[in-house]
Every structure is written in C-alpha cells, then in structure tokens.
Amino acid sequence: MKTTSLRFRLIVLMGLAIVLAALLQGALAYRNALAEADALFDYQMRQTALALRAGLPVDARAASPLLPPEDENHEFIVQVWTNEGLRIFESAFGAALPQMAVLGFADVPVRGTTYRVFSLQSPAQVIQVAQNLQVRRQMARTLAWRTVWPIALLAPLLALAVWWVVGHALRPVERVRRELAGRSAASLAPVAEAGLPQEVQPLVQELNLLFARVQQAFASQQHFVADAAHALRSPLQALKLQLQGLQRAPDEAARQRAQQRLAAGIDRAAQLVDQLLLLAREDAQQGAHSSPAPVVDLAPLVAQQLADLAASAQAQGVDLGLAEGSAAAANVRAESASLQVLLGNLLDNAIKYTPTGGQVDVRLALLPAVPDSPAQVELRVEDSGPGIPAAERARALKRFVRADGAAASGVPGSGLGLAIVQTIAQRQGGQVELLESAALGGLCVRVCWPAVESA
C-alpha cells in the first residue's frame, strides 16, 4: 500500500479478511444447506413410501382421479404397482412413471425432465414415490439462501465493529501524535507511556531515550558556551593588556619583554582553546549512543606517552619513568584516542607541577577480583610536587577549579586538565580518585577501569 496510515491499513486488511471469511463461510453454508435439503427430501420420500407399505385394494386402479388435470401435482408423484406389473394407483393422472426394476433411489428422465424416484417393494405391491428434481433443487436453493443471507447481513456489521475497534485501539497512538504535534521545538520532556499498547511502548521508550540524549547534547553545548565565555574572558583581556604594553614600550628591551609576555599569553590562550574543544568533544561523545568500545591494551599507550613527554620532562629537570613491577599488559574496554588524551593530561600536569629535580612515577597494575569488586586495571600517576590538600581534592576535579597550592605555584593553568581526565574516565567506565603519594609526597592520581580479557 502506498498510504502510510496504520489505521487505514488495519481496516482494509481486516475488511478483506472479513469479506474472504464471509464468502468462504457462505459458500460452505450454501453447499451444506443443499446437501441437508437433499437428505431431508430423500427422507420425506422414504417415509411416504413406508406409510403406503400396508397396500391398496386391487380395484383402486380403476378409480378416476378426483381432481381436474390442471390441478394435479406433477411435482410430487406417488404410484403403486402390483407385483405382476399392473399400476393400481397414481397421484397424478398421466404421469406415466416407468416401473422401476431397481429398488431404492434413482434419477429417471420423464417427459423432458428428471425425477428423483424411490421404489419400495412390499409383499403384494411395489410403491414408487417421485419428485421433480428441478422443483426439488429450486426449493433446496431457497432453503440454502435463507441460511446464507444472515452471513451477508452480519459482514457489514462486523466491518463497522472492526472500524470502531481499530479506532479505539489506536487512540493512545493518536494521543501521542497530538502531544508531539503540540510541542514547541525546545520541549524535550519525555512522552507519557501510560495506556500505550505493548507494541507501541518500545517505540515511545526509544523516543524518550532520544529526547534524553538530545537534551544532554543541548546541555553540553550550553555548558561549553558558558565555559568558553568564562575561560576566554581573562586570557583575552590579558592579551589586550599585553598588546597595549607592547605598543607603549619605551625602549627595545621593554619591547622584547612585552613581546615575550604576549607570545606566552597567546600560547596559554591557544592551549586553553585546545582544552575547551577537547572537553566539548568528550562531552558530545559521552552523550552519544554508540556501540561498545573495543578492547585496548593500556600498557603500550602508557609507554608511548612516556616516550613522547620524556624530552619535556628532561628539559624541566624532572625524572619521569615507569615504576618497577608495572603490568606488561592491561586490557580495558575504551577508545584508544581518548585514553591517549587522558594519559597526556595526567603526565603533563604532573610534569608541570613537579619542581626541578623532582620525580614522576607511573604505575600500571592488575587488581584481582574481591567479593565486593570485580578485577580492575589500576593506573597511578604520582609526583613529588606540592600536591592537593584533602579538603580540595573533590573540588579540583571540577571545571575551571585550581587548588590553592597549584595557583600559588605560579604554573599557568586553566583548571581543565583534571576535569578532562574525569570526563574521559567516566565515559569509559572508569573512576578517578585523588590521593596523597606515599612514596613521593605529592599528588597521586588513581584511575581504575574494569579489567577485560584480550580481544
């Protein structure tokens, strides 16, 4: 069907089913009625012959018919013969049915038509009961049509009942349609599922999940706009002041210092923009409905990040390395690109806040399953920097929040590094915890994921 109306399809298909069922039932009823009428007429002829089995007087054959020829009934005829072959009685004068040599039922052609004849032999006579088949069939058809016409009458009534039932059954769907049609473009409230058929509820549930994902995407977009406006206001104002300082520099030395400050400010602003875009991408992926992430070995990613940041750590005088006893393989279900961003932020923060001559250790371990927790992959990044006080650790994972020690250290930052780590870990099914490093005295960032078997 070209139409997309479910109501129209149901009514048409069920109407066709009703018509076909009515035709089939009518045909079967008509055929059965004809068969039952034939059986009834045969039974009537047999009972008539049995009623005459007592016999008639022999001189009855000489009697003349009491009715005029035009009133005689040639549709139903009774004849009686003697065993010697003399006809002694006939209900219609001149019917001239032949004497049947075969007893029982038979079809006999007489005077251009066919009679259904039943012959019965008594001790003294032969009784014949005949019925015109044409009249008989007409009566049978009349009885059969009386059986069929109620079906033809009830079929339209059943079609009306189907029309009403379909409309009543689709009323909840129509309610959902009206509710959605009356909404504004900004309304993402879930659709009520009460009263919906079981076949429609999964569709509405998926629609509500879609609304929730779209609402989360809108919220992430609004948060990104607010975060960007908040984060870029101060760097842009600082760039403006540094540019004014460059323009007002009295000599070459002051101009060079202003240029260096301006270049450093541009680098900080570029880094901030990169972090904002990265955070926006992670927020968008967190709200997306995607297939399960692949299984990734975390050990080579850690080794790659250590190799990439070794030069930066060496330039700052920081000892960066993998702790002894780290796991050689640790499989987690996550995206490789997001894990690289998480590792890069953790190591970059640790290097920046570790003073010259300090140390940054990375430890990767497999934690066995315990009664309250399944097997986990643990990543620890410890440094010998100022650390974060216990009272500020929960707040340090929020966006644009810098601990007092980090702000007092003079290291430039935007307060987004740990927030990006938190967002990526949560999206990948991990947990982030800030602790005090027992070995180095600074900050220990602990990230755990559920361990999985190798793909």
Side-chain angles (χ1 to χ4, degrees):
M1 296 181 182
K2 293 183 179 180
T3 179
T4 57
S5 172
L6 180 61
R7 178 192 183 97
F8 180 80
R9 289 186 179 185
L10 289 176
I11 291 177
V12 169
L13 293 177
M14 295 183 70
L16 290 176
I18 290 173
V19 171
L20 293 177
L23 291 176
L24 181 60
Q25 185 178 3
L28 293 177
Y30 184 82
R31 181 178 178 181
N32 292 335
L34 288 179
E36 291 177 1
D38 283 338
L40 180 61
F41 290 145
D42 286 346
Y43 176 79
Q44 182 184 12
M45 292 171 62
R46 182 182 181 89
Q47 292 302 316
T48 302
L50 291 175
L52 297 175
R53 189 169 48 181
L56 294 175
V58 177
D59 59 351
R61 62 184 177 85
S64 301
L66 300 177
L67 296 175
E70 60 272 12
D71 291 337
E72 292 179 354
N73 183 9
H74 287 271
E75 297 177 0
F76 193 86
I77 300 173
V78 178
Q79 290 187 152
V80 182
W81 302 74
T82 64
N83 289 332
E84 290 78 15
L86 297 176
R87 185 171 57 241
I88 62 175
F89 175 79
E90 59 181 351
S91 62
F93 183 75
L97 288 176
Q99 184 181 12
M100 299 296 298
V102 180
L103 300 179
F105 289 98
D107 295 338
V108 179
V110 177
R111 296 187 305 177
T113 185
T114 303
Y115 279 83
R116 178 74 166 170
V117 180
F118 177 75
S119 300
L120 175 67
Q121 185 176 12
S122 66
Q125 297 169 343
V126 176
I127 302 169
Q128 289 182 330
V129 180
Q131 187 177 21
N132 191 331
L133 276 182
Q134 184 177 0
V135 176
R136 175 178 176 157
R137 288 169 180 169
Q138 181 62 35
M139 295 174 63
R141 284 193 292 268
T142 302
L143 293 176
W145 277 116
R146 290 178 181 176
T147 305
V148 171
W149 76 263
I151 299 176
L153 178 63
L154 290 177
L157 297 179
L158 186 58
L160 291 176
V162 167
W163 176 80
W164 182 84
V165 169
V166 170
H168 181 75
L170 294 179
R171 192 173 299 170
V173 182
E174 180 66 17
R175 174 184 62 81
V176 173
R177 186 198 66 80
R178 289 196 304 267
E179 180 180 349
L180 294 177
R183 286 189 176 190
S184 63
S187 177
L188 295 175
V191 179
E193 301 178 16
L196 291 177
Q198 293 182 354
E199 293 78 7
V200 182
Q201 284 185 357
L203 177 63
V204 176
Q205 291 171 358
E206 292 297 329
L207 183 63
N208 289 335
L209 291 177
L210 176 61
F211 283 164
R213 292 194 296 268
V214 173
Q215 189 172 15
Q216 186 176 1
F218 283 167
S220 299
Q221 184 180 15
Q222 293 174 354
H223 290 162
F224 173 74
V225 173
D227 293 344
H230 171 76
L232 292 175
R233 184 181 299 111
S234 297
L236 292 178
Q237 184 67 26
L239 289 177
K240 184 177 180 180
L241 294 176
Q242 290 165 359
L243 178 61
Q244 293 176 356
L246 176 62
Q247 293 173 346
R248 298 172 182 175
D251 53 25
E252 185 63 25
R255 185 176 295 105
Q256 290 181 357
R257 288 194 301 270
Q259 289 177 349
Q260 293 175 355
R261 287 195 296 268
L262 180 59
I266 293 175
D267 292 339
R268 287 193 298 270
Q271 183 182 7
L272 177 60
V273 171
D274 290 340
Q275 288 185 323
L276 285 172
L277 293 177
L278 178 61
L279 187 61
R281 188 192 70 178
E282 294 298 330
D283 285 340
Q285 291 181 355
Q286 185 175 7
H289 182 71
S290 58
S291 57
V295 177
V296 178
D297 188 358
L298 192 58
L301 297 180
V302 172
Q304 182 63 41
Q305 288 296 323
L306 290 175
D308 293 341
L309 294 175
S312 176
Q314 186 177 4
Q316 194 169 329
V318 175
D319 181 12
L320 174 65
L322 188 65
E324 294 184 0
S326 294
N331 296 312
V332 297
R333 189 173 294 279
E335 297 175 359
S336 177
S338 297
L339 290 179
Q340 290 176 354
V341 173
L342 181 145
L343 294 171
N345 275 272
L346 287 179
L347 295 179
D348 184 66
N349 276 354
I351 294 172
K352 284 195 306 183
Y353 290 104
T354 300
T356 302
Q359 184 177 349
V360 175
D361 285 343
V362 180
R363 183 182 300 275
L364 189 61
L366 295 176
L367 304 181
V370 295
D372 296 334
S373 177
Q376 291 183 331
V377 173
E378 181 190 59
L379 173 69
R380 285 177 176 263
V381 178
E382 304 182 44
D383 61 61
S384 58
I388 299 177
E392 300 182 15
R393 289 171 188 166
R395 200 170 63 93
L397 292 174
K398 297 181 179 180
R399 301 177 182 184
F400 305 107
V401 174
R402 301 187 68 193
D404 295 339
S409 65
V411 178
S414 59
L416 288 177
L418 291 178
I420 293 174
V421 171
Q422 173 87 328
T423 301
I424 295 176
Q426 288 180 348
R427 185 168 64 85
Q428 307 290 1
Q431 296 179 348
V432 180
E433 187 178 6
L434 302 184
L435 305 170
E436 181 180 357
S437 175
L440 302 181
L443 179 66
C444 172
V445 182
R446 179 177 180 265
V447 187
C448 290
W449 294 271
V452 296
E453 296 181 358
S454 177

